[in-house]
Amino acid sequence: PPSIIFPQMWSNGINEAGKRALLAWEKETGIKLVQINGQRRYGGPPAGWQGGLPPAGTEVYIARLPQDVYENTLIPLFESVGKLYEFRLMMTFSGLNRGFAYARYTSLRGAQRAIAAFHGFQLRQGCAIMVCWSTQKHELVVSDLPASVSQQELEARLQIVTEGICSVTLHASPCQRRARLAVLKYRSHEAAALAKKALMEGDLRLGKEGMRVDWLDPQLKKELQLSEGPSSSWVQGGKSLAVPKPVAVPLLLQNVLKYLNVVCWKRRLRTPLFITRCVQVNPNGWQKFWYQVVIPGYHVPISGFTWISPDRQGKSKQEKTKVVAALHTLSELGESLHSQVPAFPKVFQSL
């Protein structure tokens, strides 16, 4: 999506003095800050950067920040011990920070110096900040999923509302007999954090009850690794959490619609009609869509809501909404997309 420069995101009357100081600093230094998805970013890479990404272990986590402190204070401070590749300050929509940030250095030495110099540093009188190695969590656990959810259905929906997903594994829930949990692995901590936010705000429509999304606890991960592996026939080859199944190629709208049409034809129903409408837009670019599917010959329309992520790959938001609506309709009809393509009808295999 287009970059959102930070002054457009701030509420009037919130920390005006801090806002003016930040604007003046940005003008003086020529630094540009971009806010999107609840965070404000500098660099990644910084201007003039040549080369690839910094090595692993170069990011630090900064916590216990006063909410009215901004980059004009933080960036010069943390850059005094090493060159910054990226600085991310987590923000509220009102214009205050959320009390924590991430600083990524161009070298391991810079990160080491930042921890040594600034852990316990008195940013203000009586306000000591915390600086430590970033945990770089990449994995989420989604619990309270219905037992009927399939691997491909889950992957398809996750690809619509999140980005950067590397693998999905389904497991029997250790707490509920007729429920599953899914472990989602993302390419980076940032991608996982944004996915967690999106999944908590959105609606995957995978069951009657609301699902829960958390960071994958190390103890739970160990228990799943020691078990027999994902107890789901939907996980190809029964691979364990340690060797997750790669995510399938994203489903194309025409493929899902043609499969839905095949199901309707087999049931002597007519071609489904789709209605979509955007009903809410968040400042971070997410849009909430209402959809309805009317199938002539079927007793009731099928409707629901879904959050659609900012368009980063030229895909139509209406197209993404129709994929969700089609998958929801298949679920209501008692059908699901199988994890193995050969299990599809022959008509669908040739698409």
Coordinates of all heavy atoms in Angstrom, one line a residue, residues 34 40 63 102 118 120 159 164 180 189 207 251 312 327 341:
V34 N 7.7 6.4 8.2 CA 6.5 5.9 7.6 C 5.7 5.1 8.6 O 6.3 4.2 9.2 CB 6.9 5.0 6.3 CG1 5.6 4.5 5.7 CG2 7.6 5.9 5.3
R40 N 5.7 2.7 13.4 CA 6.3 3.7 12.6 C 7.7 3.3 12.4 O 8.4 2.9 13.3 CB 6.2 5.1 13.3 CG 6.4 6.3 12.4 CD 5.8 7.5 13.0 NE 6.5 7.9 14.2 CZ 5.8 8.6 15.1 NH1 4.6 9.0 15.0 NH2 6.4 8.9 16.3
A63 N 11.9 -1.6 25.8 CA 10.6 -1.6 26.5 C 10.6 -0.5 27.6 O 11.7 0.1 27.9 CB 10.2 -2.9 27.0
Y102 N 11.7 -1.6 18.4 CA 12.8 -2.5 18.0 C 13.8 -1.7 17.2 O 13.5 -0.9 16.4 CB 12.2 -3.6 17.1 CG 11.2 -4.5 17.8 CD1 9.9 -4.2 17.8 CD2 11.6 -5.7 18.4 CE1 8.9 -5.0 18.4 CE2 10.7 -6.5 19.0 CZ 9.4 -6.2 19.0 OH 8.5 -7.0 19.6
F118 N 22.4 0.8 27.3 CA 21.1 1.4 27.6 C 20.1 0.5 28.4 O 19.0 1.0 28.7 CB 20.4 1.7 26.2 CG 21.2 2.7 25.4 CD1 21.5 2.4 24.1 CD2 21.7 3.9 26.0 CE1 22.3 3.3 23.3 CE2 22.4 4.8 25.2 CZ 22.7 4.5 23.9
G120 N 18.6 -0.4 31.5 CA 18.5 0.3 32.8 C 18.8 1.8 32.7 O 18.9 2.5 33.7
Q159 N -3.6 -17.0 3.8 CA -2.9 -16.3 2.7 C -3.7 -15.0 2.3 O -3.1 -14.1 1.8 CB -2.8 -17.2 1.5 CG -1.8 -18.3 1.7 CD -1.9 -19.4 0.6 OE1 -2.5 -19.2 -0.4 NE2 -1.2 -20.5 0.9
G164 N 3.6 -13.4 4.4 CA 4.9 -13.9 4.9 C 4.8 -15.3 5.6 O 5.7 -15.7 6.3
R180 N -9.0 -28.6 17.2 CA -7.6 -28.7 16.7 C -6.9 -27.3 17.0 O -7.6 -26.3 17.3 CB -7.6 -28.9 15.2 CG -8.2 -30.2 14.7 CD -7.9 -30.5 13.3 NE -8.6 -31.6 12.8 CZ -8.2 -32.9 12.9 NH1 -7.1 -33.1 13.6 NH2 -8.9 -33.9 12.5
H189 N 9.9 -12.1 12.5 CA 9.1 -11.7 13.7 C 8.1 -10.6 13.3 O 7.0 -10.6 13.8 CB 10.1 -11.1 14.8 CG 9.4 -10.5 15.9 ND1 8.7 -11.2 16.9 CD2 9.2 -9.2 16.3 CE1 8.1 -10.4 17.8 NE2 8.4 -9.2 17.4
G207 N -15.2 -21.6 12.4 CA -16.0 -22.3 13.4 C -17.0 -21.4 14.0 O -17.0 -20.1 13.9
L251 N -4.6 -20.0 -3.6 CA -5.7 -20.4 -4.5 C -6.2 -19.3 -5.3 O -6.3 -18.1 -4.9 CB -6.9 -20.9 -3.6 CG -6.7 -22.1 -2.8 CD1 -7.9 -22.4 -1.9 CD2 -6.5 -23.3 -3.7
R312 N -0.9 -5.4 -1.4 CA 0.5 -5.3 -1.7 C 1.0 -6.0 -2.9 O 2.1 -5.9 -3.4 CB 1.4 -5.9 -0.5 CG 1.1 -5.2 0.8 CD 1.9 -5.7 1.9 NE 1.6 -5.0 3.2 CZ 2.2 -5.3 4.3 NH1 3.2 -6.2 4.4 NH2 1.9 -4.6 5.4
L327 N -15.3 -20.1 0.1 CA -14.9 -21.1 1.0 C -15.9 -21.2 2.1 O -16.2 -22.4 2.6 CB -13.5 -20.7 1.7 CG -12.3 -20.8 0.7 CD1 -11.1 -20.2 1.3 CD2 -12.0 -22.3 0.3
V341 N -4.7 -32.5 -4.1 CA -5.3 -32.1 -5.4 C -6.0 -33.3 -6.1 O -7.1 -33.2 -6.6 CB -4.3 -31.4 -6.3 CG1 -4.9 -31.2 -7.7 CG2 -3.8 -30.1 -5.7

